[in-house]
């Protein structure tokens, strides 16, 4: 069984500040980990993913995430927030050999001017 | 590059009616999925399909029916719509590696 916990349903940061969105997962087998972003009234866009190899993963729009097996975490960060980063962010996990994703409940990021 | 398309994008229907949401992908991906998105729940898997004529239940399958006669199409049918099925429905697809899942733009369904 797999599950994902996103800490904080709403996060607010100032423009230019560090963005940190937290994600913890549980999986009985080696996981694939994903972050998706959703803008209002749109579908989900892949930000980045970890499958194997380097544990620090860089994605689009300046985001990155680090897979920490010992902490079962895959937190999303961006050094400097931009107004256009305001959106909902979803962490998701799938297990090797299982194609379907299990999603967290999402974190809405608000960026203050 | 059409990718993955859903129709209709917006639908209002009455309780008890049958509704079919269509999903079409142009990549010949083997895997296709249906998720529903509800506030506070993220996305939950309804059904998925590994190939034509192979489907399986996800986390919340009750009240839904799927079929996959062709690789590119994966329709989702609500046989008798209920208000609790008011949601945003997302279709998705991936190749056999499962490394990346691509999502459609969603179908907003309201059951009154």
């Amino acid at each position: 069984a797999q599950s994902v916990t996103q800490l904080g349903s709403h996060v607010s940061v100032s423009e230019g500040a560090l963005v940190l969105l937290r994600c913890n997962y549980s999986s009985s087998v080696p996981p694939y980990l994903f972050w998706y972003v959703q803008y209002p009234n749109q579908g989900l866009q892949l930000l980045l993913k970890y499958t194997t190899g380097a544990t620090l993963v860089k994605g689009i729009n300046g985001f990155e995430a680090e897979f920490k097996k010992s902490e079962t975490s895959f937190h999303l960060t961006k050094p400097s927030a931009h107004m256009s980063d305001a959106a909902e962010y979803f962490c998701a996990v799938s297990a090797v050999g299982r194609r379907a994703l299990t999603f967290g409940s999402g974190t809405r990021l608000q960026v203050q001017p | 590059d059409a990718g993955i398309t859903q129709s209709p994008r917006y639908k209002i229907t009455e309780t008890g009616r049958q509704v079919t949401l269509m999903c079409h992908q142009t990549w010949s991906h083997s895997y296709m999925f249906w998720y529903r998105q509800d506030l506070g729940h993220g996305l939950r898997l309804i059904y998925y399909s590994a190939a034509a004529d192979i489907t399986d239940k996800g986390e919340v399958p009750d009240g839904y029916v799927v079929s996959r006669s062709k690789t590119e199409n994966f329709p989702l049918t609500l046989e008798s719509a209920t208000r609790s099925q008011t949601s945003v429905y997302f279709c998705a697809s991936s190749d056999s590696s499962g490394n990346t899942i691509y999502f459609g733009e969603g179908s907003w369904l309201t059951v009154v």
Side-chain angles (χ1 to χ4, degrees), chain A residues 32-34 36 38 40-46 49 51 88 90 94 97-106 108, chain B residues 9-10 31 33 35 37 40-43 45 48 90 94-106 108:
Chain A
Y32 289 173
L33 294 158
F34 305 81
Y36 283 85
Q38 183 181 35
N41 297 323
Q42 294 187 23
L44 279 74
Q45 180 182 6
L46 181 67
K49 63 182 179 183
T51 53
E88 185 136 24
F90 292 95
S94 72
R98 173 177 163 79
R99 303 296 182 267
L101 293 175
T102 299
F103 284 85
S105 56
R108 184 166 298 277
Chain B
R9 294 291 314 282
Y10 302 94
Y31 284 85
F33 311 86
Y35 287 88
Q37 183 180 22
H41 289 280
L43 281 82
L45 183 66
Y48 66 100
F90 287 98
S94 75
D95 63 21
S96 58
S97 73
N99 281 348
T100 303
I101 294 182
Y102 298 92
F103 284 82
E105 295 198 335
W108 272 252

Side-chain angles (χ1 to χ4, degrees), chain A residues 61-78:
Chain A
N61 301 340
F63 285 92
E64 63 182 36
E66 186 170 11
F67 169 55
K68 292 187 176 181
K69 185 178 179 181
S70 61
E71 299 177 8
T72 61
S73 69
F74 192 57
H75 302 330
L76 182 71
T77 60
K78 182 174 181 178

